[in-house]
Amino acid sequence: MIKLRPHHLLCIEFFEGKGYDTKHIENMFLVFKSLNEEDSFTLTGELDDICSCCHNRINNRCKTQEKVLRYDKSMKDILNLEYDKEYSYRELETAVGEKIDYLLNETCTDCQWAYICHRKK
């Protein structure tokens, strides 16, 4: 079962493969493909399957831990999600799409990649 952090639901929508090494980019696309094939995933408040190859992962923590926890909390609260619960990716993809402007403006205010998301929405 795939594990995802809440804020990665936004990252998946707009990911272009910028700023990361090849291993991380390939892993992101593998996770996306798996989500589309399996549809279900478990929401986690910890490192997830996307984090597994990220260069920001240091000693089982994110180098930007405070920021990603804030992003996760925002997404979790806005979409009324619960950790350690199984969700349908397609259902949450729809929910994210319905609130995309609000989510981007409330969740990712200081994300270095926000310009990509705002440009593509």
Side-chain angles (χ1 to χ4, degrees):
M1 172 78 57
I2 295 169
K3 289 185 177 185
L4 279 184
R5 298 186 83 128
H7 82 271
H8 281 155
L9 292 166
L10 283 174
C11 300
I12 288 170
E13 287 292 311
F14 302 106
F15 182 71
E16 291 184 352
K18 295 184 177 178
Y20 294 98
D21 62 27
T22 304
K23 185 177 177 182
H24 184 67
I25 293 167
E26 289 173 357
N27 182 60
M28 289 280 283
F29 285 118
L30 181 63
V31 171
F32 301 164
K33 182 180 180 208
S34 296
L35 280 169
N36 284 313
E37 290 172 356
E38 296 176 27
D39 185 47
S40 61
F41 69 94
T42 301
L43 196 73
T44 184
E46 301 172 0
L47 295 176
D48 66 7
D49 290 331
I50 289 175
C51 300
S52 67
C53 294
C54 183
H55 66 274
N56 286 326
R57 181 183 177 151
I58 300 170
N59 297 325
N60 290 324
R61 284 181 52 107
C62 183
K63 182 168 74 173
T64 60
Q65 185 79 357
E66 182 181 318
K67 182 167 65 170
V68 297
L69 289 175
R70 186 169 22 92
Y71 293 171
D72 286 342
K73 182 178 181 345
S74 176
M75 289 290 292
K76 188 171 141 327
D77 291 350
I78 292 169
L79 295 173
N80 197 28
L81 304 173
E82 297 175 37
Y83 288 132
D84 302 318
K85 183 175 177 183
E86 188 175 321
Y87 288 95
S88 162
Y89 174 64
R90 285 175 190 79
E91 287 178 18
L92 280 185
E93 183 180 39
T94 299
V96 167
E98 290 170 354
K99 296 182 178 188
I100 197 68
D101 289 327
Y102 186 72
L103 289 167
L104 289 173
N105 291 327
E106 292 297 315
T107 301
C108 309
T109 55
D110 58 348
C111 176
Q112 66 182 349
W113 308 112
Y115 72 95
I116 293 172
C117 303
H118 286 281
R119 182 186 74 220
K120 290 176 79 175
K121 65 177 178 144

Tab-separated table of all heavy atoms in Angstrom, residues 15-22 24-25 53-56 63 112-113 115-116:
chain	number	residue	atom	x	y	z
A	15	PHE	N	3.670	18.324	-10.499
A	15	PHE	CA	5.081	17.936	-10.582
A	15	PHE	C	5.599	17.953	-12.016
A	15	PHE	O	4.977	17.424	-12.926
A	15	PHE	CB	5.268	16.539	-9.982
A	15	PHE	CG	6.693	16.083	-9.976
A	15	PHE	CD1	7.610	16.660	-9.125
A	15	PHE	CD2	7.104	15.080	-10.844
A	15	PHE	CE1	8.925	16.237	-9.120
A	15	PHE	CE2	8.418	14.650	-10.843
A	15	PHE	CZ	9.326	15.232	-9.984
A	16	GLU	N	6.767	18.583	-12.190
A	16	GLU	CA	7.423	18.650	-13.488
A	16	GLU	C	8.812	18.021	-13.474
A	16	GLU	O	9.450	17.958	-14.500
A	16	GLU	CB	7.567	20.105	-13.947
A	16	GLU	CG	6.271	20.766	-14.297
A	16	GLU	CD	6.465	22.175	-14.839
A	16	GLU	OE1	7.607	22.706	-14.799
A	16	GLU	OE2	5.479	22.759	-15.290
A	17	GLY	N	9.310	17.645	-12.325
A	17	GLY	CA	10.639	17.055	-12.255
A	17	GLY	C	11.760	18.059	-12.151
A	17	GLY	O	12.913	17.750	-12.436
A	18	LYS	N	11.462	19.255	-11.722
A	18	LYS	CA	12.486	20.289	-11.602
A	18	LYS	C	13.122	20.258	-10.220
A	18	LYS	O	12.455	20.030	-9.225
A	18	LYS	CB	11.885	21.661	-11.858
A	18	LYS	CG	11.400	21.810	-13.275
A	18	LYS	CD	10.893	23.188	-13.546
A	18	LYS	CE	10.508	23.252	-15.012
A	18	LYS	NZ	9.972	24.512	-15.379
A	19	GLY	N	14.421	20.517	-10.182
A	19	GLY	CA	15.127	20.724	-8.932
A	19	GLY	C	15.509	19.487	-8.156
A	19	GLY	O	16.024	19.592	-7.052
A	20	TYR	N	15.271	18.313	-8.688
A	20	TYR	CA	15.581	17.077	-7.985
A	20	TYR	C	16.484	16.208	-8.837
A	20	TYR	O	16.557	16.375	-10.052
A	20	TYR	CB	14.294	16.310	-7.650
A	20	TYR	CG	13.422	17.035	-6.656
A	20	TYR	CD1	12.348	17.796	-7.079
A	20	TYR	CD2	13.685	16.967	-5.295
A	20	TYR	CE1	11.549	18.469	-6.170
A	20	TYR	CE2	12.892	17.632	-4.379
A	20	TYR	CZ	11.829	18.388	-4.832
A	20	TYR	OH	11.047	19.045	-3.930
A	21	ASP	N	17.132	15.261	-8.198
A	21	ASP	CA	18.002	14.363	-8.953
A	21	ASP	C	17.171	13.296	-9.668
A	21	ASP	O	15.983	13.121	-9.408
A	21	ASP	CB	19.066	13.736	-8.061
A	21	ASP	CG	18.505	12.865	-6.947
A	21	ASP	OD1	17.403	12.307	-7.100
A	21	ASP	OD2	19.181	12.741	-5.921
A	22	THR	N	17.817	12.593	-10.573
A	22	THR	CA	17.140	11.600	-11.414
A	22	THR	C	16.446	10.523	-10.596
A	22	THR	O	15.311	10.137	-10.900
A	22	THR	CB	18.154	10.950	-12.383
A	22	THR	OG1	18.773	11.990	-13.134
A	22	THR	CG2	17.481	9.982	-13.320
A	24	HIS	N	15.145	10.675	-7.587
A	24	HIS	CA	13.922	11.200	-6.978
A	24	HIS	C	12.828	11.401	-8.031
A	24	HIS	O	11.659	11.069	-7.797
A	24	HIS	CB	14.205	12.510	-6.248
A	24	HIS	CG	13.017	13.059	-5.527
A	24	HIS	ND1	12.450	12.445	-4.449
A	24	HIS	CD2	12.262	14.159	-5.770
A	24	HIS	CE1	11.407	13.144	-4.025
A	24	HIS	NE2	11.277	14.183	-4.817
A	25	ILE	N	13.183	11.937	-9.167
A	25	ILE	CA	12.216	12.165	-10.237
A	25	ILE	C	11.606	10.846	-10.691
A	25	ILE	O	10.386	10.722	-10.836
A	25	ILE	CB	12.870	12.909	-11.415
A	25	ILE	CG1	13.236	14.335	-10.979
A	25	ILE	CG2	11.961	12.933	-12.641
A	25	ILE	CD1	14.152	15.063	-11.942
A	53	CYS	N	13.200	8.804	-1.741
A	53	CYS	CA	14.381	9.099	-2.567
A	53	CYS	C	14.721	10.591	-2.598
A	53	CYS	O	15.516	11.034	-3.420
A	53	CYS	CB	14.148	8.608	-3.999
A	53	CYS	SG	14.016	6.825	-4.140
A	54	CYS	N	14.132	11.353	-1.731
A	54	CYS	CA	14.329	12.805	-1.741
A	54	CYS	C	15.649	13.200	-1.086
A	54	CYS	O	16.014	12.677	-0.036
A	54	CYS	CB	13.170	13.482	-1.022
A	54	CYS	SG	13.264	15.288	-1.060
A	55	HIS	N	16.324	14.172	-1.695
A	55	HIS	CA	17.591	14.655	-1.136
A	55	HIS	C	17.395	15.462	0.152
A	55	HIS	O	18.347	15.709	0.870
A	55	HIS	CB	18.357	15.482	-2.176
A	55	HIS	CG	17.686	16.761	-2.550
A	55	HIS	ND1	16.715	16.821	-3.535
A	55	HIS	CD2	17.818	18.005	-2.066
A	55	HIS	CE1	16.299	18.071	-3.634
A	55	HIS	NE2	16.947	18.805	-2.761
A	56	ASN	N	16.165	15.838	0.460
A	56	ASN	CA	15.883	16.543	1.713
A	56	ASN	C	15.687	15.591	2.891
A	56	ASN	O	15.540	16.032	4.022
A	56	ASN	CB	14.638	17.418	1.576
A	56	ASN	CG	14.905	18.654	0.766
A	56	ASN	OD1	15.986	19.219	0.814
A	56	ASN	ND2	13.924	19.070	-0.006
A	63	LYS	N	14.542	17.642	5.854
A	63	LYS	CA	15.394	18.786	6.178
A	63	LYS	C	14.542	20.036	6.433
A	63	LYS	O	14.926	20.908	7.191
A	63	LYS	CB	16.370	19.018	5.017
A	63	LYS	CG	17.345	20.129	5.222
A	63	LYS	CD	18.443	20.101	4.173
A	63	LYS	CE	17.931	20.577	2.843
A	63	LYS	NZ	19.010	20.718	1.841
A	112	GLN	N	8.945	26.757	-2.628
A	112	GLN	CA	9.798	27.244	-3.712
A	112	GLN	C	9.259	26.886	-5.094
A	112	GLN	O	9.649	27.473	-6.093
A	112	GLN	CB	11.208	26.702	-3.561
A	112	GLN	CG	11.315	25.200	-3.724
A	112	GLN	CD	12.729	24.704	-3.522
A	112	GLN	OE1	13.676	25.476	-3.453
A	112	GLN	NE2	12.895	23.396	-3.419
A	113	TRP	N	8.345	25.917	-5.162
A	113	TRP	CA	7.795	25.472	-6.443
A	113	TRP	C	6.396	26.029	-6.702
A	113	TRP	O	5.776	25.704	-7.718
A	113	TRP	CB	7.745	23.943	-6.500
A	113	TRP	CG	9.057	23.324	-6.158
A	113	TRP	CD1	9.348	22.583	-5.058
A	113	TRP	CD2	10.274	23.427	-6.895
A	113	TRP	NE1	10.669	22.206	-5.070
A	113	TRP	CE2	11.264	22.708	-6.188
A	113	TRP	CE3	10.628	24.050	-8.087
A	113	TRP	CZ2	12.577	22.608	-6.628
A	113	TRP	CZ3	11.941	23.953	-8.526
A	113	TRP	CH2	12.893	23.239	-7.796
A	115	TYR	N	5.265	28.713	-7.861
A	115	TYR	CA	5.074	29.392	-9.136
A	115	TYR	C	4.666	28.406	-10.235
A	115	TYR	O	3.890	28.750	-11.126
A	115	TYR	CB	6.324	30.176	-9.542
A	115	TYR	CG	7.491	29.310	-9.990
A	115	TYR	CD1	7.695	29.040	-11.342
A	115	TYR	CD2	8.366	28.746	-9.059
A	115	TYR	CE1	8.754	28.233	-11.760
A	115	TYR	CE2	9.410	27.949	-9.474
A	115	TYR	CZ	9.615	27.697	-10.819
A	115	TYR	OH	10.650	26.896	-11.225
A	116	ILE	N	5.158	27.166	-10.161
A	116	ILE	CA	4.789	26.150	-11.149
A	116	ILE	C	3.304	25.815	-10.999
A	116	ILE	O	2.563	25.765	-11.975
A	116	ILE	CB	5.646	24.875	-10.983
A	116	ILE	CG1	7.094	25.175	-11.343
A	116	ILE	CG2	5.104	23.737	-11.834
A	116	ILE	CD1	8.058	24.042	-11.041
